[in-house]
Amino acid sequence: KRQDLRSKVPVATQDEFGVIAEHTNHMIDGLRHRFELMHSLKLAEEVQQNLLPTKNPALNGYDVSGFSMYCDQTGGDYYDYFTLPGGKLGITVADACGHGVGAAMLMTTVRAFLISAVGNYTDPSNLLNEINKLITSDCAASGNFTTMFFMELTPETRKIRWVRAGHEPPLYYHSQSGQVAKLEGVGVVLGIDESYTFENQFTVVEKGDIILIGTDGIFETRNPKNLIFGQERVHEIIGQHKEESASTIQETIVSEVKRFRGEVSQEDDITLVVIKVT
């Protein structure tokens, strides 16, 4: 029979049966609170998942695939795509400090600021300058912060621009040399210094080049022997699957991270966006 936990045990005596009844009622209250909390977390999970992209973008000259997986029901990782003026595509990957409900709430706020600021978009640096002021006004007192990487792709051209706000530098596979470099750039995390001025970085890519924008949950995943997944394994996967689609590369990395972790619990959120120049 389905129970709604609204009924209580009558406490009719002051003997041991009355004590048992009181303890039972406390247990019922605790269970009801736990079920309400679980329901709220499930709702929060559904809301946050609905904030992530439902499909990968289409842009001439580029193949893009993204994915996010939380270690709790909610998390602080976030990725998104934005249609920019001139037919350009904006791609962002961000990571709020911590994980769970608190990080999810912070990330939802960051997303709202970002969507609002994109309406006045001119270039990556001005975008992050604007949202950094907003985030800092909300977060400076609490000490919470967010790392972010924002990249601008222009259709059918080979020049890309980006800003790195304290985020893990993306991996950049050069198809001609077979070497993996990083897309660096100086920039503080968002939410600690509203006066900081970000600067655009840019490079020219070539057909077959692959860029992986991820969060540190990928590289810092540990296995039962307490070894970390690391970046070298990601380098190898990119090299082995360089002729395949962005979605295949992305799915292979996620699959290998899960296989490497084995029975160990996921300790951090995992997010990555793979971009392949076509």
Side-chain angles (χ1 to χ4, degrees):
K1 181 181 178 181
R2 186 175 180 272
Q3 301 295 327
D4 58 15
L5 299 178
R6 286 180 296 185
S7 300
K8 295 291 188 71
V9 178
V11 182
T13 63
Q14 299 298 317
D15 56 12
E16 61 269 22
F17 294 106
V19 172
I20 293 172
E22 288 181 353
H23 282 294
T24 301
N25 289 335
H26 284 308
M27 182 182 69
I28 290 172
D29 287 337
L31 285 172
R32 184 169 62 242
H33 176 71
R34 180 175 178 82
F35 285 137
E36 290 172 353
L37 179 61
M38 290 174 65
H39 176 73
S40 297
L41 285 173
K42 183 63 178 176
L43 179 60
E45 179 185 15
E46 292 175 359
V47 169
Q48 189 172 30
Q49 287 294 330
N50 289 335
L51 298 181
L52 297 175
T54 57
K55 62 180 181 179
N56 292 314
L59 186 71
N60 288 336
Y62 297 93
D63 177 22
V64 182
S65 180
F67 175 82
S68 193
M69 178 173 63
Y70 300 132
C71 63
D72 294 324
Q73 286 176 296
T74 56
D77 277 14
Y78 167 64
Y79 79 97
D80 215 341
Y81 311 122
F82 301 93
T83 300
L84 305 176
K88 298 177 181 179
L89 176 69
I91 299 175
T92 191
V93 174
D95 185 359
C97 60
H99 50 79
V101 176
M105 293 176 65
L106 174 57
M107 187 50 65
T108 302
T109 302
V110 171
R111 177 183 183 272
F113 288 147
L114 186 58
I115 290 175
S116 175
V118 162
N120 302 315
Y121 182 84
T122 56
D123 62 78
S125 62
N126 281 331
L127 177 67
L128 264 67
N129 286 336
E130 183 174 347
I131 66 171
N132 182 50
K133 292 184 177 72
L134 297 170
I135 297 170
T136 303
S137 67
D138 272 11
C139 299
S142 67
N144 293 327
F145 61 86
T146 302
T147 71
M148 180 178 289
F149 188 92
F150 187 93
M151 175 179 286
E152 173 197 273
L153 303 180
T154 303
E156 299 179 345
T157 73
R158 299 292 172 84
K159 182 179 178 180
I160 62 173
R161 293 195 294 180
W162 73 87
V163 170
R164 186 172 76 90
H167 197 78
E168 182 78 26
L171 301 180
Y172 176 26
Y173 172 81
H174 295 264
S175 59
Q176 295 297 319
S177 66
Q179 300 299 309
V180 177
K182 293 183 179 181
L183 296 182
E184 301 282 1
V186 178
V188 301
V189 297
L190 304 175
I192 62 171
D193 182 3
E194 66 178 4
S195 66
Y196 187 85
T197 301
F198 293 94
E199 296 183 0
N200 291 319
Q201 308 293 322
F202 72 91
T203 192
V204 177
V205 296
E206 299 177 349
K207 181 179 179 180
D209 288 358
I210 299 167
I211 298 170
L212 187 150
I213 313 170
T215 55
D216 53 14
I218 300 169
F219 312 115
E220 295 178 2
T221 291
R222 294 185 178 274
N223 69 0
K225 296 181 179 179
N226 205 33
L227 300 175
I228 62 171
F229 192 74
Q231 295 193 358
E232 287 300 323
R233 288 185 173 85
V234 178
H235 295 182
E236 293 174 2
I237 293 171
I238 295 174
Q240 293 167 358
H241 299 273
K242 61 182 182 294
E243 302 297 334
E244 300 180 59
S245 67
S247 62
T248 297
I249 296 170
Q250 171 251 297
E251 290 165 4
T252 302
I253 292 172
V254 172
S255 176
E256 285 300 307
V257 168
K258 290 179 178 178
R259 186 187 64 80
F260 178 83
R261 190 177 71 237
E263 299 301 318
V264 177
S265 298
Q266 183 182 338
E267 296 178 347
D268 200 0
D269 305 328
I270 291 175
T271 297
L272 73 158
V273 175
V274 175
I275 304 157
K276 185 173 183 180
V277 184
T278 59

